[in-house]
Amino acid sequence: MNRHIYLIFALIFFGCLPVLTYSQAVWTVSSADAAKKNPVPANDKSVNSGKSLYNAQCKSCHGDPGKGNGLPLVPKPQDPTSDIIQKNSDGALLYKISNGRGAMPRFKDVIKDEDKWNIINYIRSLKKGKTASSETSVPDAIIQSFEGKVELAFRFVDSTKTIIVKAVNPKEGVLIPVPGLGITVFAKRYFRDLKLNADALITNADGEVEVDFPGSLPGDSIGNVLLLARVTEGVSDSVAVSAQIGWGKPFVYINPRSERSLWNSTWMAPWWLLLSYFGVVIGVWGTIFYIVLEVGKLKKIGSQQAS
Ligand code: HEC
């Protein structure tokens, strides 16, 4: 019996050993694979499609870029902005994404090569200090000044419904970007404004943060949502800016009191309830009235017979 227990422990120990040593190993890629050049130019189109692929296929483990909120696995799925990922050559990234290792899935046949390169272009666009190169269209922009300290501006990129908030410091007519501010974007709601990013996002070297607009967010009857960006870390005064955009799902408010229902006032109660109620009331009173009538008749008959 005892011997069995030792055997089990020994099996568990030696069984785990390769996993333990393996997980700590540096992930090396052959020089031929590492030298592979990226054939896809890193333009807006490629970066945008890489971004949506990343969000769909990688974000669940690697987290939001720059936030280090990946899954707590061992080894950890690194943040795409981290040096560990960025110091890979493009070819090495392709190899690792294609082949996977341990908990990192093998995407060789799941994502076609061109899309892998798009993801790599996106990952490169996240490199610290580099601008997000996805500012393609600027449908709305509102700048609100706050006494020369910090200004926030909204910019919207429609293809992927991205909100970009830029923090600048106006100095002698020039707007100087302010990096390192914590910004939170809210959608205005009736009771408590809805945060679109859980933790404050830190502005990059261009003073910008990017927030994805949640596709399912309801707006007003024509889909307008009032957005609010606030500096939540970095300055003591509250700095905020708001802008409206028609990206929400149109939502028509139906007053529950305008429909017949049990909780509604008497005349808005359901028909079946009104019918059965008045049916019973009329029935009972009708019966009583009928009885009184019959008793009246009896009295009449009695007086006729007496005479
Ligand atoms: C199921 C979780 C999971 C998903 C999904 C996932 N990864 Fe990973 N990834 C990991 C883990 C865990 C590691 C660390 C593996 C290791 O070092 O053994 C990793 C490592 C990596 C590395 C290597 C980093 C290094 O050590 O150089 C790259 C690059 C990478 N992932 C990119 C991606 C991309 C791109 C996607 C989406 C197409 C993706 N991953 C999807 C879990 C995941």
Side-chain angles (χ1 to χ4, degrees):
M1 181 63 200
N2 268 345
R3 222 186 279 162
H4 280 140
I5 287 173
Y6 286 132
L7 201 67
I8 288 166
F9 272 119
L11 275 177
I12 291 174
F13 180 72
F14 288 110
C16 290
L17 206 58
V19 177
L20 289 173
T21 45
Y22 172 74
S23 66
Q24 271 140 19
V26 186
W27 193 349
T28 48
V29 176
S30 78
S31 51
D33 283 316
K36 215 175 221 169
K37 288 274 165 293
N38 186 343
V40 179
N43 52 23
D44 288 350
K45 191 171 152 262
S46 164
V47 170
N48 275 334
S49 93
K51 179 178 181 174
S52 43
L53 279 163
Y54 177 89
N55 287 344
Q57 302 273 10
C58 324
K59 192 171 136 175
S60 54
C61 290
H62 287 271
D64 296 294
K67 294 220 259 162
N69 59 356
L71 279 190
L73 302 173
V74 180
K76 197 172 159 46
Q78 300 85 357
D79 190 296
T81 63
S82 68
D83 287 344
I84 298 175
I85 289 205
Q86 291 291 344
K87 72 171 196 268
N88 283 290
S89 67
D90 284 359
L93 286 176
L94 183 82
Y95 178 87
K96 290 179 179 180
I97 298 168
S98 301
N99 293 286
R101 182 175 84 164
M104 165 74 194
R106 181 184 161 87
F107 286 101
K108 193 167 215 134
D109 308 314
V110 180
I111 300 176
K112 54 182 201 300
D113 271 0
E114 195 195 334
D115 281 333
K116 281 183 219 126
W117 290 121
N118 289 336
I119 297 178
I120 291 167
N121 282 337
Y122 170 63
I123 290 177
R124 291 297 184 217
S125 79
L126 300 168
K127 216 164 170 175
K128 283 180 198 119
K130 208 176 162 204
T131 343
S133 53
S134 53
E135 297 142 27
T136 43
S137 61
V138 184
D140 284 83
I142 295 181
I143 295 190
Q144 229 161 287
S145 164
F146 289 88
E147 288 151 12
K149 285 207 80 182
V150 181
E151 283 183 8
L152 287 178
F154 270 117
R155 193 146 74 243
F156 301 108
V157 181
D158 212 333
S159 55
T160 47
K161 290 198 177 172
T162 310
I163 306 154
I164 300 170
V165 184
K166 186 175 177 105
V168 288
N169 219 340
K171 253 191 203 140
E172 290 144 17
V174 192
L175 300 179
I176 299 156
V178 189
L181 291 180
I183 299 215
T184 309
V185 179
F186 301 87
K188 198 94 186 118
R189 300 281 101 158
Y190 279 115
F191 296 109
R192 194 156 186 265
D193 296 339
L194 177 74
K195 271 190 191 179
L196 297 192
N197 50 310
D199 304 310
L201 294 172
I202 307 300
T203 51
N204 63 13
D206 292 319
E208 295 186 346
V209 297
E210 267 186 44
V211 181
D212 290 336
F213 185 88
S216 55
L217 194 74
D220 63 9
S221 58
I222 52 165
N224 278 332
V225 177
L226 186 63
L227 295 172
L228 197 79
R230 240 181 242 144
V231 179
T232 41
E233 282 164 28
V235 287
S236 49
D237 313 326
S238 126
V239 178
V241 65
S242 61
Q244 182 161 289
I245 186 140
W247 280 351
K249 279 215 174 124
F251 177 75
V252 181
Y253 176 73
I254 297 164
N255 186 345
R257 302 212 30 166
S258 68
E259 282 177 344
R260 293 197 171 274
S261 55
L262 275 177
W263 60 78
N264 229 331
S265 61
T266 314
W267 292 108
M268 288 305 284
W271 281 118
W272 61 262
L273 187 68
L274 290 178
L275 273 177
S276 43
Y277 172 74
F278 285 111
V280 170
V281 170
I282 292 168
V284 169
W285 279 108
T287 312
I288 293 172
F289 189 70
Y290 177 75
I291 290 171
V292 171
L293 245 150
E294 291 298 293
V295 171
K297 270 191 200 156
L298 260 185
K299 212 177 153 198
K300 226 176 177 178
I301 293 167
S303 57
Q304 273 169 4
Q305 277 178 353
S307 62

